């Protein structure tokens, strides 16, 4: 995959998946991701940055994330495409949370449930003295909003079908609107298009009927 790293292992659905590039030199990309012509709109090439402060990942950064944050449980890899796309194949280790769920109103109960799933804690009534200390800068509030404490929130990497897919950028903007810290959000811009272009291992999830 890279110099000195021929493969990595990712635990997915209870089994170890060997992630590597296809070694067949005659391999050619086929199917949907081999199509270079898509109508714009809606499939227009998006900007490099989905939102200020959000780091953009390439494949090497993805490999590092899979071997560190994802393995250690401090990060979540989110396939933000609709379930019909997810069922066709995804990156090993990814969970499917469609962008439609992540882009809901920031105060919706669905968003609150997701934030808690990602490790954020609802603050509730913090009390007069705590509020005063935060106002004076005595207490660190870097990862705190009025409603949520994101101190223990996980690093999230979101992806969809590629640079001409607006689903993960919409999901990222939805999370930012809910207060999620930008430095805990990452965007794999290449998405499934570049992952498959490089011939890297994919999996078909066992999602049942």
């Amino acid at each position: 995959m890279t110099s000195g790293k021929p493969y990595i292992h990712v635990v997915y659905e209870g089994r170890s998946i060997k992630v590597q590039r296809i070694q067949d030199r005659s391999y050619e990309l086929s199917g949907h991701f081999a199509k270079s012509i898509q109508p714009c709109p809606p499939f227009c090439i998006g900007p490099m940055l989905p939102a200020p402060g959000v780091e953009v990942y390439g494949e090497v950064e993805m490999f590092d994330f899979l071997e560190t944050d994802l393995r250690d449980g401090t990060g979540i890899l989110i396939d933000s495409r609709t379930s019909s796309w997810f069922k066709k194949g995804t990156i090993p280790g990814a969970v499917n949370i469609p962008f439609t769920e992540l882009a809901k109103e920031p105060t919706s109960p669905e968003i609150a449930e997701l934030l808690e799933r990602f490790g954020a804690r609802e603050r509730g009534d913090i009390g007069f003295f705590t509020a005063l200390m935060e106002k004076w800068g005595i207490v660190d509030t870097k990862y705190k909003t009025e409603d949520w404490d994101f101190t223990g929130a996980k690093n999230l990497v979101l992806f969809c079908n590629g640079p001409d897919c607006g689903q993960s950028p919409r999901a990222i903007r939805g999370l930012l609107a809910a207060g999620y810290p930008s430095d805990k959000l990452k965007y794999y811009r290449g998405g499934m298009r570049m992952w498959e272009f490089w011939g890297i291992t994919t999996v078909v999830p066992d999602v049942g009927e």
Side-chain angles (χ1 to χ4, degrees):
M1 298 192 304
T2 63
S3 178
K5 183 177 289 187
Y7 58 83
I8 60 176
H9 283 279
V10 175
V11 176
Y12 182 67
E13 293 184 344
R15 66 187 194 277
S16 179
I17 303 292
K18 189 176 184 179
V19 178
Q20 60 185 344
R21 291 177 64 182
I22 294 173
Q23 301 301 302
D24 183 359
R25 296 189 67 178
S26 65
Y27 167 77
E28 292 183 356
L29 187 63
S30 61
H32 173 81
F33 297 111
K35 299 176 181 178
S36 61
I37 303 300
Q38 292 278 48
C40 172
F43 302 104
C44 302
I45 299 175
M48 182 63 70
L49 295 175
V54 175
E55 187 177 358
V56 178
Y57 272 10
E59 289 69 40
V60 173
E61 290 78 16
M62 284 288 287
F63 302 152
D64 290 341
F65 179 84
L66 294 175
E67 285 194 300
T68 55
D69 296 58
L70 186 66
R71 179 198 62 195
D72 299 338
T74 59
I76 301 175
L77 179 61
I78 299 176
D79 185 333
S80 59
R81 300 175 299 166
T82 57
S83 60
S84 60
W85 276 106
F86 178 71
K87 292 175 183 177
K88 296 176 182 179
T90 190
I91 297 172
V95 296
N96 184 217
I97 306 176
F99 75 100
T100 50
E101 298 298 314
L102 294 164
K104 288 183 181 293
E105 285 296 318
T107 56
S108 69
E110 293 86 356
I111 286 292
E113 184 178 333
L114 286 170
L115 294 182
E116 290 182 346
R117 176 179 173 182
F118 300 155
R121 291 190 300 107
E122 201 163 4
R123 299 193 71 191
D125 184 9
I126 62 173
F128 173 77
F129 289 107
T130 299
L132 197 61
M133 286 191 291
E134 289 184 358
K135 181 179 179 181
W136 289 344
I138 298 173
V139 176
D140 184 13
T141 59
K142 178 181 179 181
Y143 290 125
K144 296 176 182 177
T145 68
E146 184 177 343
D147 300 314
W148 292 93
D149 183 350
F150 292 96
T151 304
K154 298 180 186 294
N155 293 317
L156 308 180
V157 176
L158 293 91
F159 69 93
C160 49
N161 273 338
D164 59 349
C165 176
Q167 295 178 354
S168 45
R170 283 184 60 183
I172 288 170
R173 290 192 289 270
L175 286 166
L176 289 170
Y180 217 92
S182 61
D183 63 352
K184 288 178 178 277
L185 295 173
K186 321 295 177 184
Y187 171 43
Y188 174 40
R189 184 174 183 265
M192 291 302 297
R193 181 178 295 278
M194 291 305 300
W195 194 263
E196 294 210 3
F197 170 81
W198 289 115
I200 309 172
T201 305
T202 62
V203 292
V204 175
D206 182 11
V207 294
E209 296 297 329

